[in-house]
Amino acid sequence: MSPYLLPLCAPLLLLGAAAFGFMRKGRRPPLVPVCAEAAALGGLLVALASLAVLILRGPGASGLIGWAGIGLSVRLDAVSVTMLLLVTFIGWIVVRYARTYLDGEARQGYFIGWLCTALAAVLLLVQAGNVVQLVAAWVATSAALHRLLLFYPDRRAAQRAARKKRLFSSISAAALLTAIGLIWVSFGTTDIATINAQARTGEGSWLIVTAAAMLALAAILKSAQFPTHGWLTEVMEAPTPVSALLHAGVINAGGFLLIRFADLMVSAPGVLAVLAMLGGFTALFGALVMLTQPAVKTSLAWSTVAQMGFMTLQCGLALFPLALLHIVAHSLYKAHAFLASGGAVEQVASIRRPGPVAVPNGLAVVRAFLIALAIYAGIGAAFGFTFGFEHKSPQALALGTILIFGVAYLLAQGLADAAPHPLTRRTAIYASAAAIGYFALQTAAEWLTAGVLPATPAPGRLEWTLMALAVLSFGAAAVAQALFPLWASHPAAAGLRVHLSNGLYVNATIDRVLGGWSVPKAS
C-alpha cells in the first residue's frame, strides 16, 4: 500500500465514531464521547505521521481508488499536511470541549455524530488528490454543518441562518461544479497536481479564465464575503463547539480552494484583481462593524468576516503562502477565542478601570505611524529585503505595510500625552516584535511552500493601483480609529455607530431581496 494513502485513516476513524454516535443518539450515550475523542486524537496522530511521510518521502500523490478519474486519492504536500495538522488539532480540541459542553443534552449522541462527520468531510477536502473527491467533500461539509447549525431546531434565528447558509452553499457548490467541468474540458484530467502543472506551463484560455472565475465565486460564497456575509453573523444560536468549528475551520474552505488551485488562479489576473478588491472591502467593512458590537460572540463573528476578507485580499494579490499562514494563525486564535469567550466575559466584568484612558492627539498619531513605518523598514532591511523589490514582491511589502498600521494604533496610545512611560516602551517593543514576526513567518511560509505554490508574479498597472488603494484605505481606517476618541461625542459619530452596529443594513437588504425566503414561517 502506498504510504501516501495514510491520511485517509483520519477521516475513516472519525466516520466510525460518527456512525457509533448516530446509533446512540440520546442523552449521555455510553462510550460515544470517549470514542469520538479517541477518533479525533487518532486523526491528529495520523496527521503527524503524514508529516513524517512528507519529510521522508517528499511531496507525492497516492494512486486513485476508483475508476475513470472518480474515487479517492490523496495529495500530500506542504499545503495538505499543514491543513491536516490544523484541522485535526482543532477538531480534537473541539471534540474534547463538546464532551463536557453537551453533557446531559437530550441529543448528545446525534450532535457528536454530525460533529465527527463534519470533521471527516473537511479532512477529505484538504487531502483531496482529485477534483471529484474535492467536490464531494465540499458538499458533505456543508450538509454536516447545516445539521449542526440546526441542533436547536426550534430557535427561529438558527432556522433563518441555516436556510440562508444553505442557499449560498448551494450556489457555491453549483459554481464549483461548473468550474470543475470547465477544468476537465480544458485539461482532460481530474488529478489536481496534473491540472496545476498544466496551468503553470500553459496559457490562460477563456475556458481557464472562466473556470478561475467560478472557483473564485465558490470561494467568495463559502468564506462569507460581502455582501453574502450575513449568515455568518447569525449562527450564534448554535452550540459554542459549532461556532468554534465553523469560524476556525469550515469557513477557511474558500481560501483553501484558491490556494489549492493557485497555479490556475495566477493565469487569470483579472479574477485575482476582483478578489483583491472584494476581499479588501470586506476586511475593512467587517473590522469597522466589529468595533461596534456589544456581544462577545457577535463581535468575534464580525472579526471572522474581516479576517476572511483579508485572506481573500492576500489570494487576490497572489500571496498564496501568506494566505495559508493566515488560515493557520486565524484558526488557532479564533478557536481559542470562541471556546474561552465565556470565561473572558467573567474576567472582564470583574476588572476595575484604573482611571482615564490616554487619548492621543493628531500629532501623536502622525508620530506613531511614522515610527511604525520606520520600524518596519528597518527590520525589513535587517532581514535582507531590498526596497528595489529585487528579493521581495511589492505585494508582500504592501501587505506588511497594512499590517503595521495596526501596530501604529497601539503606538499612538503609548505616545499620548497622558500615557505612562512604561506603556510607551511596551508599545515600541510590540511594534518591533510584530514587524519581526511578519518577516520571519513570511519567510518560513514561502520556504515551506516553495515548489508547491507559485511565486507571486510581478505587478502590472492594475496591481499597483490596487495595492496603493489598499494601503491608503487601511491607513485611513487606522488613523480614524486612533483619532476616534477625539470626536466620539459628536452627534454624527453616534449616528455612524448606530449604522455600523447594524452592518449598514446590508443583511436586512439581502433578506428583503430574498423575499422572506430565509425567514422561517411561524409555527
Side-chain angles (χ1 to χ4, degrees):
M1 185 182 72
S2 170
Y4 293 110
L5 284 173
L6 178 63
L8 280 177
C9 296
L12 290 177
L13 287 172
L14 286 162
L15 287 175
F20 191 43
F22 290 138
M23 289 189 294
R24 302 184 176 188
K25 299 181 180 180
R27 181 182 286 108
R28 293 194 175 95
L31 299 178
V32 170
V34 177
C35 288
E37 186 177 338
L41 179 58
L44 178 58
L45 295 176
V46 169
L48 291 171
S50 301
L51 173 62
V53 171
L54 177 64
I55 294 173
L56 296 174
R57 302 287 295 267
S62 71
L64 180 72
I65 305 176
W67 179 75
I70 301 174
L72 295 175
S73 61
V74 176
R75 175 66 186 170
L76 201 61
D77 56 22
V79 173
S80 60
V81 168
T82 298
M83 295 302 296
L84 279 171
L85 289 169
L86 178 67
V87 173
T88 52
F89 176 70
I90 290 179
W92 175 51
I93 297 298
V94 170
V95 170
R96 278 179 59 87
Y97 184 90
R99 180 178 176 180
T100 302
Y101 186 91
L102 272 295
D103 185 52
E105 287 279 355
R107 299 192 300 161
Q108 185 178 359
Y110 174 90
F111 179 88
I112 291 175
W114 281 114
L115 180 62
C116 291
T117 301
L119 286 171
V122 175
L123 289 174
L124 286 171
L125 172 67
V126 299
Q127 65 183 262
N130 66 88
V131 292
V132 177
Q133 178 182 334
L134 185 143
V135 172
W138 184 278
V139 174
T141 300
S142 295
L145 180 62
H146 183 78
R147 295 288 185 175
L148 291 171
L149 292 177
L150 288 177
F151 180 68
Y152 298 120
D154 297 330
R155 296 184 178 181
R156 291 175 61 82
Q159 295 175 34
R160 180 173 60 250
R163 295 184 72 180
K164 195 182 301 182
K165 169 67 172 64
R166 170 171 279 184
L167 171 64
F168 292 134
S169 293
S170 299
I171 299 174
S172 175
L176 181 58
L177 280 169
T178 303
I180 296 309
L182 294 172
I183 288 172
W184 186 83
V185 170
S186 300
F187 300 106
T189 180
T190 62
D191 183 70
I192 294 175
T194 305
I195 291 168
N196 278 324
Q198 293 186 21
R200 192 180 304 127
T201 56
E203 295 183 359
S205 65
W206 71 270
L207 280 176
I208 294 176
V209 172
T210 306
M214 290 295 101
L215 288 174
L217 177 60
I220 286 168
L221 294 170
K222 194 74 167 183
S223 292
Q225 296 298 284
F226 182 92
T228 65
H229 59 277
W231 65 268
L232 186 60
T233 64
E234 295 178 347
V235 296
M236 298 301 104
E237 295 295 324
T240 296
V242 179
S243 299
L245 178 65
L246 169 61
H247 289 263
V250 177
I251 196 67
N252 294 311
F256 170 78
L257 180 69
L258 297 174
I259 295 169
R260 185 78 288 179
F261 290 97
D263 291 289
L264 189 146
M265 299 304 299
V266 168
S267 65
V271 176
L272 291 182
V274 173
L275 284 173
M277 288 186 285
L278 183 60
F281 181 81
T282 302
L284 278 173
F285 174 72
L288 291 174
V289 176
M290 177 195 70
L291 297 174
T292 65
Q293 300 302 308
V296 172
K297 291 182 70 174
T298 306
S299 179
L300 288 174
W302 280 103
S303 168
T304 300
V305 172
Q307 294 294 334
M308 291 301 100
F310 203 76
M311 178 194 67
T312 303
L313 171 63
Q314 290 170 322
C315 291
L317 294 176
L319 296 170
F320 295 104
L322 279 179
L324 180 62
L325 176 63
H326 188 95
I327 287 177
V328 174
H330 173 258
S331 296
L332 294 174
Y333 146 70
K334 196 54 63 73
H336 175 268
F338 268 103
L339 297 181
S341 58
V345 171
E346 295 178 359
Q347 292 177 11
V348 171
S350 64
I351 295 176
R352 295 182 178 179
R353 291 191 176 274
V357 179
V359 178
N361 55 29
L363 181 59
V365 172
V366 172
R367 283 192 296 157
F369 274 76
L370 292 176
I371 292 172
L373 291 173
I375 290 173
Y376 176 66
I379 292 177
F383 267 78
F385 302 143
T386 66
F387 286 89
F389 309 134
E390 296 173 5
H391 304 292
K392 207 64 181 173
S393 68
Q395 293 94 320
L397 293 170
L399 186 70
T401 304
I402 292 172
L403 291 174
I404 210 68
F405 286 154
V407 175
Y409 171 75
L410 293 177
L411 277 174
Q413 316 305 309
L415 294 174
D417 293 336
H421 291 297
L423 177 60
T424 304
R425 288 195 298 270
R426 284 202 301 271
T427 53
I429 293 172
Y430 294 156
S432 301
I436 292 172
Y438 171 75
F439 283 115
L441 291 173
Q442 182 184 29
T443 302
E446 291 176 345
W447 177 75
L448 288 172
T449 58
V452 178
L453 297 178
T456 303
R461 183 177 299 176
L462 176 60
E463 288 76 16
W464 278 110
T465 303
L466 290 174
M467 286 188 287
L469 183 62
V471 170
L472 290 174
S473 300
F474 281 92
V479 170
Q481 183 183 1
L483 293 176
F484 181 78
L486 298 178
W487 52 278
S489 58
H490 194 280
L496 178 61
R497 186 179 185 89
V498 171
H499 297 318
L500 284 175
S501 66
N502 287 283
L504 300 182
Y505 313 101
V506 174
N507 193 39
T509 303
I510 292 293
D511 285 336
R512 182 170 296 181
V513 169
L514 293 177
W517 183 90
S518 66
V519 181
K521 298 179 181 179
S523 55

